[in-house]
Amino acid sequence: MTVLETRPDATASLRFPAGFRWGTATAAYQIEGAAAEDGRTPSIWDTFSRTPGKVRNGDTGDIAADHYHRLSEDVALMRRLGVTDYRFSIAWPRVQPTGRGPAVQKGLDFYRRLTDELREAGIRPVATLYHWDLPQELEDAGGWPQRETAYRFAEYAGLAAEALGERVATWTTLNEPWCAAFLGYGNGVHAPGRTSAVDSLRAAHHFNLAHGLAVQALRAALPEPAEVSLTLNLHAVRAHSDAPEDMDAARRIDAVGNRIFLDPVFHGRLPQDLVADTAAVTDWAFVQDGDLRTASAPVDSLGINYYSPTAVAAGSSESPSPWAGAERHVRFVPVPGPRTAMDWPVDADGLHELLVRLRDELPGVPLVVTENGAAYDDYADPSGQVKDPERVAYLHAHLAAVHRAIEDGADVRGYFLWSLLDNFEWAYGYSKRFGVVHVDFATQRRTFKDSARWYADVIARGGLPA
């Protein structure tokens, strides 16, 4: 496998600003396990993973990395890493199993223990309220294409905030609503596995509405100063050429991939070119008066998840496509260079491009890289070591890109490496490993990879080594 080359002369001793947040991240369904314990009921991912043919090898998150029972061990790993922050998600069906009614105290107790142990270890808890695990009962009632789901989410946000309050340093409403809306309802490769362009657009709008309603609920329940955020997987979109038709293809993907969330949340408006692009799909009548004002409730920071760029040209895409309104006008073209085990191109410049774009488009909004990392075919050698030089090179290049963006004036406050642990990688099951800590899923043994030791050194230095 090709190792991404880095140039020590260009990245030697790159120091990050004082107070920069060095973190790592996980998600509830990917690591917790304990799928039917202490009152937790099925989420859409429990149902989806049990549907034949949906997840590789028929894998489920029933046990995952067994974090529910190994909480203290995993916090100790974070302490060894030296991270200042830990980004985790709260499982909605563990806290409010049916998506309605009172919270389950045993579920909340797990997150009380987690946040208390993090704080005792000197690690800031960063909680995400939604990382794709919608209670199945709400999906049975229509899921995210139904407006009511947004109101149920706001109620859940209030319950979580009242219970955990000051224990959590940063509250993030949603993680990657694009994936949840368009991979879940558009082309069906994620839970709940539906394939409807109009449902994907309805879901995207209701995610924006849910975010705004949740911000209101959090502000009402939390003490000051409470940091409230949103995490988006924005696409670094590149046109294949400067031909007008290729440029228009990039515009279409930017509209449905980025501005469908950025414009409502930060500007209180719908992208009118997106409305025109999707006129054959919907008239957007599901957007009611006041929705965009609600969606644009101010946040304290924006989280950016980035793995690789997207290159497009004029053409057409496979059906069903997650790119509502663009599928008959856009084809995706390969990005040159090395690739990860996910077959994703390695291109750190895309991260720099996104951060500088947001510097210009959202002045005054602090930015945090809330996910960045890579899957490679890691294994423990006979001595028990896990050598992953490709991941070290990937992280080195992307952190250098973050540093360059900061030098160029982007207000980037932190970086969260994805992921702490090898875990359940959604439709790929356990076949892809993103962790800097290797997990033997048969024994649950945790082993630091070389990348974990490298990241610990970066944190200790406050910057990149030569």
Side-chain angles (χ1 to χ4, degrees):
M1 185 172 290
T2 302
V3 178
L4 178 67
E5 293 183 357
T6 57
R7 296 173 297 169
D9 60 322
T11 56
S13 303
L14 293 184
R15 303 280 299 176
F16 283 74
F20 191 80
R21 299 177 185 174
W22 296 101
T24 189
T26 63
Y29 190 71
Q30 293 183 271
I31 68 165
E32 283 183 4
E37 292 186 34
D38 294 335
R40 184 188 181 279
T41 56
S43 73
I44 55 175
W45 269 97
D46 293 278
T47 302
F48 188 78
S49 65
R50 285 174 171 75
T51 304
K54 294 298 186 182
V55 175
R56 189 171 295 183
N57 301 319
D59 293 338
T60 74
D62 286 0
I63 299 173
D66 198 31
H67 174 69
Y68 193 77
H69 300 114
R70 298 170 185 268
L71 179 161
S72 296
E73 179 182 356
D74 292 339
V75 172
L77 291 172
M78 293 178 234
R79 190 198 292 263
R80 282 181 61 196
L81 272 177
V83 293
T84 63
D85 292 57
Y86 172 54
R87 177 175 175 258
F88 62 96
S89 76
I90 298 171
W92 190 349
R94 195 178 294 287
V95 167
Q96 194 189 36
T98 65
R100 296 180 175 84
V104 172
Q105 291 306 310
K106 284 187 176 180
L108 287 171
D109 285 345
F110 170 73
Y111 298 106
R112 290 184 179 110
R113 292 196 305 275
L114 173 61
T115 50
D116 285 348
E117 291 202 24
L118 289 169
R119 288 161 64 92
E120 289 169 8
I123 300 170
R124 295 175 74 257
V126 177
T128 298
L129 286 165
Y130 189 75
H131 201 131
W132 308 352
D133 45 3
L134 182 72
Q136 183 61 43
E137 287 198 23
L138 290 185
E139 174 60 22
D140 293 342
W144 284 106
Q146 294 299 314
R147 185 180 183 86
E148 180 65 16
T149 305
Y151 292 96
R152 299 282 63 78
F153 178 70
E155 178 186 66
Y156 151 65
L159 290 174
E162 289 169 5
L164 299 175
E166 293 179 337
R167 286 180 165 91
V168 173
T170 300
W171 290 85
T172 302
T173 55
L174 306 170
N175 176 78
E176 297 188 354
W178 186 89
C179 291
F182 292 97
L183 301 183
Y185 294 93
N187 70 347
V189 300
H190 277 193
R194 288 157 63 176
T195 55
S196 165
V198 66
D199 279 353
S200 68
L201 293 169
R202 290 175 64 94
H205 172 65
H206 293 142
F207 275 122
N208 286 332
L209 177 62
H211 160 73
L213 292 169
V215 170
Q216 294 176 5
L218 291 169
R219 300 282 190 210
L222 295 172
E224 294 287 348
E227 183 177 339
V228 178
S229 186
L230 167 70
T231 285
L232 301 175
N233 60 308
L234 297 176
H235 301 78
V237 186
R238 300 169 180 167
H240 184 57
S241 77
D242 59 4
E245 58 270 25
D246 288 351
M247 298 294 287
D248 187 64
R251 177 202 59 76
R252 287 175 180 271
I253 295 302
D254 186 60
V256 74
N258 295 333
R259 288 182 283 116
I260 192 170
F261 299 108
L262 288 173
D263 280 16
V265 170
F266 292 99
H267 304 296
R269 68 191 182 210
L270 280 175
Q272 289 307 299
D273 59 331
L274 174 65
V275 174
D277 291 345
T278 56
V281 178
T282 180
D283 60 4
W284 292 82
F286 48 81
V287 180
Q288 298 185 12
D289 289 346
D291 282 3
L292 297 174
R293 183 170 59 253
T294 298
S296 61
V299 294
D300 301 301
S301 63
L302 173 63
I304 309 301
N305 291 357
Y306 173 84
Y307 293 93
S308 60
T310 301
V312 297
S316 61
S317 301
E318 295 180 4
S319 182
S321 167
W323 304 97
E327 62 270 36
R328 282 180 278 182
H329 304 272
V330 178
R331 65 183 175 89
F332 293 85
V333 297
V335 176
R339 308 183 86 78
T340 71
M342 298 288 286
D343 198 32
W344 295 348
V346 178
D347 188 328
D349 287 342
L351 179 54
H352 177 266
E353 292 165 18
L354 277 179
L355 295 173
V356 170
R357 169 185 175 171
L358 295 169
R359 173 203 67 189
D360 296 338
E361 293 186 5
L362 302 177
V365 178
L367 307 174
V368 179
V369 178
T370 37
E371 285 185 27
N372 177 242
Y376 289 102
D377 296 322
D378 309 319
Y379 61 92
D381 67 20
S383 69
Q385 297 183 12
V386 182
K387 301 181 184 301
D388 55 344
E390 299 96 343
R391 181 175 291 106
V392 170
Y394 178 101
L395 297 173
H396 196 290
H398 285 75
L399 274 167
V402 174
H403 188 274
R404 183 156 52 96
I406 294 172
E407 286 191 321
D408 290 340
D411 184 11
V412 186
R413 304 284 181 90
Y415 174 92
F416 288 72
L417 186 157
W418 184 272
S419 173
L420 174 68
L421 303 170
D422 290 336
N423 54 38
F424 175 85
E425 186 48 41
W426 307 115
Y428 292 90
Y430 297 101
S431 68
K432 303 299 181 185
R433 293 180 178 270
F434 275 88
V436 292
V437 176
H438 181 273
V439 177
D440 180 331
F441 293 106
T443 65
Q444 294 297 336
R445 178 183 173 85
R446 275 95 158 118
T447 303
F448 263 30
K449 302 178 186 180
D450 283 356
S451 58
R453 284 183 281 273
W454 177 87
Y455 191 47
D457 180 64
V458 168
I459 296 169
R461 292 170 179 265
L464 287 172

mmCIF file of all heavy atoms in Angstrom, residues 349-375:
data_model
loop_
_atom_site.group_PDB
_atom_site.id
_atom_site.type_symbol
_atom_site.label_atom_id
_atom_site.label_comp_id
_atom_site.label_asym_id
_atom_site.label_seq_id
_atom_site.Cartn_x
_atom_site.Cartn_y
_atom_site.Cartn_z
ATOM 1 N N ASP A 349 -5.262 18.749 0.924
ATOM 2 C CA ASP A 349 -5.572 20.099 0.455
ATOM 3 C C ASP A 349 -7.065 20.389 0.531
ATOM 4 O O ASP A 349 -7.476 21.538 0.713
ATOM 5 C CB ASP A 349 -5.088 20.289 -0.980
ATOM 6 C CG ASP A 349 -3.582 20.420 -1.084
ATOM 7 O OD1 ASP A 349 -2.937 20.708 -0.047
ATOM 8 O OD2 ASP A 349 -3.041 20.221 -2.190
ATOM 9 N N GLY A 350 -7.884 19.341 0.398
ATOM 10 C CA GLY A 350 -9.327 19.551 0.476
ATOM 11 C C GLY A 350 -9.767 20.092 1.827
ATOM 12 O O GLY A 350 -10.695 20.900 1.915
ATOM 13 N N LEU A 351 -9.104 19.658 2.890
ATOM 14 C CA LEU A 351 -9.433 20.165 4.223
ATOM 15 C C LEU A 351 -9.069 21.641 4.322
ATOM 16 O O LEU A 351 -9.836 22.447 4.856
ATOM 17 C CB LEU A 351 -8.706 19.346 5.288
ATOM 18 C CG LEU A 351 -8.919 19.762 6.742
ATOM 19 C CD1 LEU A 351 -10.391 19.836 7.105
ATOM 20 C CD2 LEU A 351 -8.175 18.804 7.678
ATOM 21 N N HIS A 352 -7.908 21.999 3.817
ATOM 22 C CA HIS A 352 -7.509 23.407 3.804
ATOM 23 C C HIS A 352 -8.510 24.236 3.006
ATOM 24 O O HIS A 352 -8.923 25.329 3.427
ATOM 25 C CB HIS A 352 -6.106 23.553 3.219
ATOM 26 C CG HIS A 352 -5.632 24.962 3.105
ATOM 27 N ND1 HIS A 352 -5.789 25.694 1.951
ATOM 28 C CD2 HIS A 352 -5.036 25.790 4.010
ATOM 29 C CE1 HIS A 352 -5.295 26.908 2.140
ATOM 30 N NE2 HIS A 352 -4.836 26.990 3.377
ATOM 31 N N GLU A 353 -8.944 23.721 1.852
ATOM 32 C CA GLU A 353 -9.911 24.433 1.021
ATOM 33 C C GLU A 353 -11.203 24.717 1.786
ATOM 34 O O GLU A 353 -11.747 25.833 1.731
ATOM 35 C CB GLU A 353 -10.213 23.616 -0.229
ATOM 36 C CG GLU A 353 -9.070 23.488 -1.209
ATOM 37 C CD GLU A 353 -9.310 22.390 -2.235
ATOM 38 O OE1 GLU A 353 -10.480 21.965 -2.394
ATOM 39 O OE2 GLU A 353 -8.342 21.949 -2.873
ATOM 40 N N LEU A 354 -11.712 23.712 2.491
ATOM 41 C CA LEU A 354 -12.960 23.899 3.247
ATOM 42 C C LEU A 354 -12.785 24.930 4.348
ATOM 43 O O LEU A 354 -13.652 25.808 4.533
ATOM 44 C CB LEU A 354 -13.397 22.564 3.858
ATOM 45 C CG LEU A 354 -14.167 21.597 2.974
ATOM 46 C CD1 LEU A 354 -14.476 20.332 3.758
ATOM 47 C CD2 LEU A 354 -15.451 22.230 2.457
ATOM 48 N N LEU A 355 -11.707 24.849 5.097
ATOM 49 C CA LEU A 355 -11.518 25.753 6.229
ATOM 50 C C LEU A 355 -11.358 27.195 5.765
ATOM 51 O O LEU A 355 -11.898 28.127 6.390
ATOM 52 C CB LEU A 355 -10.310 25.307 7.056
ATOM 53 C CG LEU A 355 -10.450 23.941 7.738
ATOM 54 C CD1 LEU A 355 -9.130 23.526 8.383
ATOM 55 C CD2 LEU A 355 -11.576 23.949 8.775
ATOM 56 N N VAL A 356 -10.665 27.395 4.665
ATOM 57 C CA VAL A 356 -10.501 28.757 4.148
ATOM 58 C C VAL A 356 -11.816 29.267 3.562
ATOM 59 O O VAL A 356 -12.162 30.450 3.708
ATOM 60 C CB VAL A 356 -9.360 28.793 3.103
ATOM 61 C CG1 VAL A 356 -9.323 30.127 2.381
ATOM 62 C CG2 VAL A 356 -8.024 28.528 3.786
ATOM 63 N N ARG A 357 -12.568 28.392 2.916
ATOM 64 C CA ARG A 357 -13.888 28.809 2.437
ATOM 65 C C ARG A 357 -14.778 29.274 3.587
ATOM 66 O O ARG A 357 -15.428 30.319 3.497
ATOM 67 C CB ARG A 357 -14.555 27.633 1.708
ATOM 68 C CG ARG A 357 -16.031 27.887 1.395
ATOM 69 C CD ARG A 357 -16.721 26.692 0.789
ATOM 70 N NE ARG A 357 -18.146 26.939 0.611
ATOM 71 C CZ ARG A 357 -18.960 26.140 -0.054
ATOM 72 N NH1 ARG A 357 -18.499 25.046 -0.633
ATOM 73 N NH2 ARG A 357 -20.255 26.441 -0.152
ATOM 74 N N LEU A 358 -14.795 28.522 4.662
ATOM 75 C CA LEU A 358 -15.635 28.889 5.799
ATOM 76 C C LEU A 358 -15.121 30.153 6.489
ATOM 77 O O LEU A 358 -15.907 30.928 7.026
ATOM 78 C CB LEU A 358 -15.728 27.722 6.770
ATOM 79 C CG LEU A 358 -16.436 26.487 6.200
ATOM 80 C CD1 LEU A 358 -16.245 25.287 7.104
ATOM 81 C CD2 LEU A 358 -17.918 26.765 5.981
ATOM 82 N N ARG A 359 -13.813 30.340 6.493
ATOM 83 C CA ARG A 359 -13.252 31.612 6.987
ATOM 84 C C ARG A 359 -13.904 32.780 6.278
ATOM 85 O O ARG A 359 -14.271 33.789 6.911
ATOM 86 C CB ARG A 359 -11.749 31.627 6.741
ATOM 87 C CG ARG A 359 -11.044 32.946 7.035
ATOM 88 C CD ARG A 359 -9.736 33.061 6.270
ATOM 89 N NE ARG A 359 -9.962 33.153 4.823
ATOM 90 C CZ ARG A 359 -8.998 33.093 3.918
ATOM 91 N NH1 ARG A 359 -7.733 32.892 4.288
ATOM 92 N NH2 ARG A 359 -9.297 33.191 2.623
ATOM 93 N N ASP A 360 -14.079 32.652 4.969
ATOM 94 C CA ASP A 360 -14.609 33.753 4.168
ATOM 95 C C ASP A 360 -16.132 33.855 4.242
ATOM 96 O O ASP A 360 -16.685 34.951 4.274
ATOM 97 C CB ASP A 360 -14.184 33.579 2.709
ATOM 98 C CG ASP A 360 -12.679 33.672 2.529
ATOM 99 O OD1 ASP A 360 -12.009 34.262 3.413
ATOM 100 O OD2 ASP A 360 -12.174 33.142 1.525
ATOM 101 N N GLU A 361 -16.804 32.702 4.272
ATOM 102 C CA GLU A 361 -18.266 32.706 4.198
ATOM 103 C C GLU A 361 -18.935 32.861 5.557
ATOM 104 O O GLU A 361 -20.071 33.344 5.630
ATOM 105 C CB GLU A 361 -18.755 31.421 3.534
ATOM 106 C CG GLU A 361 -18.369 31.325 2.068
ATOM 107 C CD GLU A 361 -18.991 30.119 1.380
ATOM 108 O OE1 GLU A 361 -19.805 29.409 2.028
ATOM 109 O OE2 GLU A 361 -18.668 29.882 0.210
ATOM 110 N N LEU A 362 -18.256 32.452 6.627
ATOM 111 C CA LEU A 362 -18.862 32.508 7.962
ATOM 112 C C LEU A 362 -17.928 33.246 8.913
ATOM 113 O O LEU A 362 -17.457 32.685 9.903
ATOM 114 C CB LEU A 362 -19.137 31.096 8.483
ATOM 115 C CG LEU A 362 -20.044 30.204 7.636
ATOM 116 C CD1 LEU A 362 -20.158 28.831 8.261
ATOM 117 C CD2 LEU A 362 -21.416 30.833 7.454
ATOM 118 N N PRO A 363 -17.648 34.510 8.648
ATOM 119 C CA PRO A 363 -16.758 35.246 9.551
ATOM 120 C C PRO A 363 -17.343 35.312 10.951
ATOM 121 O O PRO A 363 -18.552 35.491 11.128
ATOM 122 C CB PRO A 363 -16.676 36.641 8.911
ATOM 123 C CG PRO A 363 -17.910 36.743 8.065
ATOM 124 C CD PRO A 363 -18.182 35.359 7.569
ATOM 125 N N GLY A 364 -16.495 35.121 11.933
ATOM 126 C CA GLY A 364 -16.952 35.167 13.318
ATOM 127 C C GLY A 364 -17.435 33.844 13.868
ATOM 128 O O GLY A 364 -17.762 33.756 15.057
ATOM 129 N N VAL A 365 -17.494 32.793 13.033
ATOM 130 C CA VAL A 365 -17.925 31.475 13.509
ATOM 131 C C VAL A 365 -16.685 30.618 13.745
ATOM 132 O O VAL A 365 -15.997 30.244 12.790
ATOM 133 C CB VAL A 365 -18.852 30.779 12.500
ATOM 134 C CG1 VAL A 365 -19.252 29.389 13.012
ATOM 135 C CG2 VAL A 365 -20.096 31.626 12.241
ATOM 136 N N PRO A 366 -16.358 30.284 14.993
ATOM 137 C CA PRO A 366 -15.209 29.404 15.249
ATOM 138 C C PRO A 366 -15.421 28.031 14.621
ATOM 139 O O PRO A 366 -16.550 27.507 14.595
ATOM 140 C CB PRO A 366 -15.154 29.323 16.778
ATOM 141 C CG PRO A 366 -15.890 30.537 17.253
ATOM 142 C CD PRO A 366 -16.961 30.771 16.242
ATOM 143 N N LEU A 367 -14.347 27.446 14.140
ATOM 144 C CA LEU A 367 -14.397 26.154 13.467
ATOM 145 C C LEU A 367 -13.644 25.111 14.277
ATOM 146 O O LEU A 367 -12.639 25.413 14.926
ATOM 147 C CB LEU A 367 -13.774 26.255 12.075
ATOM 148 C CG LEU A 367 -14.310 27.357 11.161
ATOM 149 C CD1 LEU A 367 -13.486 27.431 9.879
ATOM 150 C CD2 LEU A 367 -15.780 27.140 10.847
ATOM 151 N N VAL A 368 -14.121 23.875 14.227
ATOM 152 C CA VAL A 368 -13.447 22.740 14.853
ATOM 153 C C VAL A 368 -13.478 21.582 13.865
ATOM 154 O O VAL A 368 -14.535 21.279 13.302
ATOM 155 C CB VAL A 368 -14.125 22.321 16.176
ATOM 156 C CG1 VAL A 368 -13.413 21.115 16.777
ATOM 157 C CG2 VAL A 368 -14.160 23.474 17.163
ATOM 158 N N VAL A 369 -12.339 20.955 13.630
ATOM 159 C CA VAL A 369 -12.319 19.730 12.826
ATOM 160 C C VAL A 369 -12.750 18.605 13.751
ATOM 161 O O VAL A 369 -11.987 18.156 14.608
ATOM 162 C CB VAL A 369 -10.925 19.468 12.227
ATOM 163 C CG1 VAL A 369 -10.925 18.163 11.430
ATOM 164 C CG2 VAL A 369 -10.487 20.634 11.347
ATOM 165 N N THR A 370 -13.994 18.169 13.603
ATOM 166 C CA THR A 370 -14.570 17.224 14.550
ATOM 167 C C THR A 370 -14.384 15.763 14.154
ATOM 168 O O THR A 370 -14.590 14.872 14.986
ATOM 169 C CB THR A 370 -16.066 17.519 14.750
ATOM 170 O OG1 THR A 370 -16.646 17.918 13.505
ATOM 171 C CG2 THR A 370 -16.259 18.636 15.756
ATOM 172 N N GLU A 371 -14.020 15.505 12.901
ATOM 173 C CA GLU A 371 -13.624 14.159 12.488
ATOM 174 C C GLU A 371 -12.614 14.278 11.360
ATOM 175 O O GLU A 371 -12.805 15.046 10.415
ATOM 176 C CB GLU A 371 -14.800 13.316 11.971
ATOM 177 C CG GLU A 371 -15.727 12.788 13.035
ATOM 178 C CD GLU A 371 -16.794 11.858 12.452
ATOM 179 O OE1 GLU A 371 -16.542 11.233 11.389
ATOM 180 O OE2 GLU A 371 -17.871 11.762 13.053
ATOM 181 N N ASN A 372 -11.557 13.488 11.463
ATOM 182 C CA ASN A 372 -10.595 13.334 10.388
ATOM 183 C C ASN A 372 -9.760 12.098 10.691
ATOM 184 O O ASN A 372 -9.282 11.940 11.812
ATOM 185 C CB ASN A 372 -9.695 14.569 10.258
ATOM 186 C CG ASN A 372 -8.637 14.417 9.184
ATOM 187 O OD1 ASN A 372 -7.445 14.449 9.461
ATOM 188 N ND2 ASN A 372 -9.060 14.233 7.941
ATOM 189 N N GLY A 373 -9.640 11.228 9.743
ATOM 190 C CA GLY A 373 -8.875 10.010 9.959
ATOM 191 C C GLY A 373 -8.965 9.109 8.750
ATOM 192 O O GLY A 373 -9.498 9.492 7.704
ATOM 193 N N ALA A 374 -8.468 7.896 8.883
ATOM 194 C CA ALA A 374 -8.402 6.993 7.737
ATOM 195 C C ALA A 374 -8.458 5.549 8.182
ATOM 196 O O ALA A 374 -7.956 5.189 9.249
ATOM 197 C CB ALA A 374 -7.111 7.242 6.944
ATOM 198 N N ALA A 375 -9.065 4.716 7.344
ATOM 199 C CA ALA A 375 -9.080 3.268 7.568
ATOM 200 C C ALA A 375 -7.972 2.624 6.744
ATOM 201 O O ALA A 375 -7.801 2.936 5.561
ATOM 202 C CB ALA A 375 -10.427 2.682 7.165
#
